[in-house]
């Protein structure tokens, strides 16, 4: 009984931390409660004794830890814990609730529907449960409709949209985009215009994305970047729609130019509510300096993520559905990774579930699609490093967690010096791992207006490829909350409504 009391105290501590928004500490407390409940103290000999009392709260510990994982967006781990809660007590409603939530966040509405249906059977009078089921059913139907419509379409939006017929209002006083001739002056004017919360004319927004699509068609899955011996290149991580922090990066480090090249390493959009402004700015600079402004695809440059985390809603609200379809085309053409001076491999997520992957194998990956459930492309977008060695299932439920030996194998096979990746928030904006052979860089400070983290960027010199780190704090932005355009279902599932 003493172990039960300790486990209950650990749960209580976890609840307190959770209410304070300290999810990592709450996670540790719930884990302690689970460990105390599962540790029989007799080297497992009593596993044959069915008379030994089991902790009647174990399913609660698992469900609470699953909710922590959902808050931390570790949806794969949430799915595992919710399933364990169900296994411990099959008629425990919160187990089904958490598992359905994790399934939805992973973009699996059909699987989530089964869980929410079971939830409603167990709690038929619960209004919230019925609402979740209703929303999930709507999502499944919407996906079916979208798939049917997609099958009917024979041409992509870029081949059907008619920009010539779009009129620019006579009162418009913003930047004027001339197709095929993007200048520094236009880029500067665009940033100033958007800084005032003003949209550029619809015609110009469409033309920028159309020109970007044509340019990206000439690109490749892996892009080699050459930096002169006396030159430098700046690598930035996730920006996530934080337009005013992007402007601050340019204020601190200079705007893109032939003498000041950049590589933005994915996750330009979603969560932050100025994603349109971010992506149009990055596309414009890319059009102005095709060989000195580099853009890589992140896991949020995908339809599944955009549907949940806000970009689809934002584009549709500001410009219309057709422009969103054009963005989706452009995202599918973005490179998946870069190699700088044949020494530094830069990728959004991380490395692979198998050793021996070569750069040539990566070059052959077809990038012009939505990411599949598994494979090299998905792992490049989703994987994360882990301490120690070996591989483990990803806490996200997609990709793989990889250790230092995996990093070293990849570098040795390909004659490289180090890996730079993004994909994870870091308190200081960057983190050096795997004995200095892998670095994570994240460029969205005070992530989602609540994490308090710094942002960072990395400068590499062409002669030695030695990384220099610059950290920076967030700047103020107009009073528009993050996730303003996100799918309401996501907010409900994560307890943000």
């Amino acid at each position: 009984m003493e172990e039960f009391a300790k486990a209950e105290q650990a749960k209580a501590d976890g609840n307190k931390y959770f209410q304070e928004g300290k999810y990592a500490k709450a996670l540790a407390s719930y884990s302690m409660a689970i460990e105390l409940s599962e540790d029989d103290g007799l080297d497992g000999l009593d596993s044959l004794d069915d008379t030994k009392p089991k902790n009647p709260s174990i399913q609660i510990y698992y469900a609470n830890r699953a909710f922590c994982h959902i808050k931390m967006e570790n949806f794969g781990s949430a799915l595992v814990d919710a399933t364990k809660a169900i296994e411990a007590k099959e008629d425990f409603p919160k187990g089904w609730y958490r598992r359905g939530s994790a399934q939805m966040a992973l973009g699996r509405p059909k699987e989530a529907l089964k869980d929410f249906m079971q939830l409603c059977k167990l709690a038929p009078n619960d209004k919230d449960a019925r609402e979740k089921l209703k929303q999930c059913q709507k999502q499944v139907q919407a996906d079916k409709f979208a798939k049917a419509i997609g099958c009917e379409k024979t041409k992509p939006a870029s081949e059907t949209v008619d920009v010539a017929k779009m009129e620019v209002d006579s009162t418009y006083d913003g930047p004027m985009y001339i197709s095929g001739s993007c200048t520094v002056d236009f880029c500067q004017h665009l940033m100033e215009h958007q800084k005032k919360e003003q949209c550029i004319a619809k015609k110009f927004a469409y033309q920028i994305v159309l020109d970007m699509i044509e340019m990206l068609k000439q690109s490749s899955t892996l892009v080699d970047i050459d930096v002169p011996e006396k030159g430098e290149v700046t690598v930035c991580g996730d920006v996530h729609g934080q337009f005013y922090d992007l402007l601050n990066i340019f204020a601190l480090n200079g705007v893109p130019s032939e003498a000041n090249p950049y590589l933005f390493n994915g996750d330009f959009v979603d969560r932050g509510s100025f994603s349109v402004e971010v992506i149009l700015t990055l596309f414009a600079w890319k059009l102005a300096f095709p060989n000195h402004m580099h853009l890589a695809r992140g896991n949020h440059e995908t339809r599944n993520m955009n549907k949940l985390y806000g970009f689809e809603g934002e584009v549709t609200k500001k410009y219309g559905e057709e422009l969103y379809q054009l963005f989706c085309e452009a995202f599918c053409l973005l490179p998946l990774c870069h190699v700088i001076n044949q020494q530094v491999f830069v990728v959004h997520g991380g490395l692979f579930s198998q050793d021996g992957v070569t750069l040539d194998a990566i070059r052959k990956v077809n990038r012009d699609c939505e990411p599949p459930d598994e494979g090299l492309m998905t792992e490049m977008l989703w994987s994360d490093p882990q301490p120690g060695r070996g591989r483990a299932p990803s806490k996200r439920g997609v990709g793989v967690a990889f250790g230092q030996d995996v990093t070293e194998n990849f570098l040795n096979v390909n004659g490289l010096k180090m890996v730079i990746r993004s994909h994870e928030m870091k308190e200081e904006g960057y983190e050096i791992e795997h004995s200095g052979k892998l670095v994570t860089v994240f460029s969205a400070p005070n992530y989602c207006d609540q994490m308090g983290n710094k942002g960072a960027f990395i400068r590499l010199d062409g002669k030695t490829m030695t990384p220099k780190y610059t950290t920076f704090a967030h700047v103020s932005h107009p009073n528009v909350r993050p996730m303003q355009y996100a799918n309401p279902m996501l907010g409900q599932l994560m307890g943000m409504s």
Side-chain angles (χ1 to χ4, degrees):
M1 295 302 293
E2 182 181 349
E3 295 299 298
F4 288 1
K6 289 180 179 178
E8 283 294 292
Q9 182 57 55
K11 182 193 78 170
D13 292 343
N15 291 346
K16 177 177 176 292
Y17 287 131
F18 189 93
Q19 292 299 323
E20 294 172 351
K22 299 175 180 177
Y23 303 124
K25 289 186 176 181
L27 194 73
S29 293
Y30 294 138
S31 295
M32 177 63 71
I34 291 169
E35 290 170 14
L36 288 167
S37 300
E38 294 183 334
D39 183 6
D40 56 33
L42 293 172
D43 298 323
L45 295 179
D46 71 331
S47 60
L48 299 176
D49 182 4
D50 293 334
T51 65
K52 180 182 177 182
K54 303 297 182 182
N55 191 326
S57 299
I58 186 68
Q59 72 277 3
I60 298 174
Y61 307 159
Y62 275 120
N64 286 3
R65 192 169 73 172
F67 199 12
C68 269
H69 280 305
I70 287 171
K71 284 287 191 178
M72 298 169 75
E73 300 186 14
N74 300 334
F75 300 122
S77 297
L79 193 65
V80 171
D81 275 351
T83 299
K84 288 183 177 179
I86 293 168
E87 290 171 350
K89 195 173 190 299
E90 195 171 356
D91 62 349
F92 182 52
K94 281 191 177 179
W96 297 97
Y97 189 117
R98 301 293 181 236
R99 195 165 78 173
S101 299
Q103 298 278 27
M104 279 298 294
L106 285 167
R108 304 170 183 170
K110 288 183 179 179
E111 289 82 354
L113 183 60
K114 298 174 186 176
D115 289 333
F116 287 132
M117 288 177 69
Q118 182 63 26
L119 171 64
C120 287
K121 288 180 182 178
L122 294 172
N125 298 320
D126 189 321
K127 291 183 179 179
D128 185 53
R130 293 201 306 272
E131 180 61 26
K132 296 297 182 294
L133 176 61
K134 182 180 177 181
Q135 292 294 329
C136 191
Q137 288 171 330
K138 282 185 177 179
Q139 187 64 60
V140 170
Q141 288 301 118
D143 288 350
K144 285 183 180 179
F145 180 74
K147 186 176 181 180
I149 293 296
C151 291
E152 292 175 5
K153 289 184 177 179
T154 57
K155 293 184 178 181
S158 59
E159 295 180 19
T160 60
V161 64
D162 190 350
V163 177
K165 291 184 178 180
M166 295 181 183
E167 300 290 336
V168 178
D169 193 286
S170 59
T171 63
Y172 176 74
D173 61 355
M176 309 286 284
Y177 179 73
I178 300 174
S179 181
S181 180
C182 192
T183 65
V184 171
D185 285 345
F186 172 81
C187 294
Q188 294 278 22
H189 194 180
L190 173 66
M191 292 194 300
E192 287 301 316
H193 188 74
Q194 294 184 140
K195 185 177 180 180
K196 299 172 185 175
E197 294 186 85
Q198 296 177 335
C199 292
I200 64 169
K202 180 178 178 180
K203 180 187 183 78
F204 301 142
Y206 274 62
Q207 192 61 66
I208 287 172
V209 184
L210 285 167
D211 284 358
M212 194 74 238
I213 289 170
E214 290 306 308
M215 179 177 288
L216 289 173
K217 285 179 179 178
Q218 310 307 314
S219 190
S220 56
T221 297
L222 185 155
V223 172
D224 290 290
I225 300 174
D226 294 319
V227 181
E229 189 171 295
K230 294 183 179 180
E232 291 187 319
V233 63
T234 300
V235 181
C236 297
D238 304 34
V239 178
H240 273 307
Q242 295 185 197
F243 176 63
Y244 295 84
D245 292 307
L246 173 63
L247 295 182
N248 189 41
I249 290 173
F250 291 150
L252 294 170
N253 194 59
V255 297
S257 68
E258 291 184 1
N260 192 32
Y262 277 86
L263 165 53
F264 281 84
N265 197 30
D267 280 13
F268 320 123
V269 302
D270 279 340
R271 294 199 180 92
S273 294
F274 300 95
S275 292
V276 169
E277 288 79 3
V278 166
I279 194 63
L280 286 176
T281 296
L282 294 178
F283 277 7
W285 282 112
K286 174 66 176 175
L287 291 166
F289 295 104
N291 299 317
H292 298 85
M293 178 63 157
H294 305 281
L295 305 175
R297 192 176 191 179
N299 64 301
H300 277 268
E301 279 71 56
T302 57
R303 288 181 183 270
N304 281 346
M305 293 295 102
N306 296 161
K307 184 183 294 294
L308 288 172
Y309 289 93
F311 185 60
E312 179 180 3
E314 183 182 343
V315 179
T316 303
K317 177 73 173 179
K318 293 178 178 179
Y319 287 100
E321 168 67 19
E322 196 171 35
L323 183 60
Y324 173 67
Q325 298 302 328
L326 290 177
F327 274 121
C328 290
E329 282 187 53
F331 290 165
C332 284
L333 294 167
L334 285 166
L336 298 180
C337 55
H338 295 74
V339 173
I340 305 175
N341 280 13
Q342 300 180 346
Q343 295 181 61
V344 179
F345 182 72
V346 188
V347 66
H348 178 72
L351 301 180
F352 309 100
S353 57
Q354 56 183 312
D355 287 336
V357 175
T358 64
L359 296 183
D360 283 341
I362 293 171
R363 294 180 204 277
K364 295 175 183 177
V365 172
N366 174 29
R367 73 189 189 283
D368 189 7
C369 61
E370 292 300 315
D373 292 336
E374 58 186 16
L376 298 186
M377 177 182 187
T378 298
E379 289 165 358
M380 283 189 277
L381 295 178
W382 280 96
S383 291
D384 296 292
Q386 66 176 7
R389 304 175 71 79
R391 295 178 173 89
S394 170
K395 62 189 177 182
R396 300 176 189 266
V398 188
V400 65
F402 61 95
Q404 180 170 328
D405 56 325
V406 177
T407 298
E408 290 173 346
N409 174 270
F410 177 77
L411 295 176
N412 290 337
V413 164
N414 293 288
L416 299 167
K417 176 180 177 181
M418 70 180 298
V419 174
I420 295 177
R421 44 89 62 179
S422 303
H423 196 41
E424 290 182 283
M425 186 209 78
K426 299 297 180 182
E427 289 297 324
E428 294 301 313
Y430 72 97
E431 184 174 342
I432 303 170
E433 301 174 75
H434 295 178
S435 299
K437 295 179 181 178
L438 182 142
V439 177
T440 297
V441 60
F442 191 84
S443 303
N446 194 28
Y447 186 38
C448 291
D449 284 1
Q450 63 180 355
M451 301 308 293
N453 61 292
K454 294 178 182 177
F457 55 80
I458 303 173
R459 285 182 73 91
L460 298 162
D461 68 277
K463 184 176 182 179
T464 69
M465 286 283 104
T466 302
K468 300 175 187 175
Y469 305 98
T470 298
T471 62
F472 54 94
H474 70 283
V475 296
S476 61
H477 63 73
N479 189 26
V480 182
R481 64 178 176 83
M483 305 286 282
Q484 175 71 38
Y485 303 96
N487 188 318
M489 181 72 168
L490 181 67
Q492 294 168 12
L493 295 174
M494 297 183 68
M496 298 186 299
S497 56

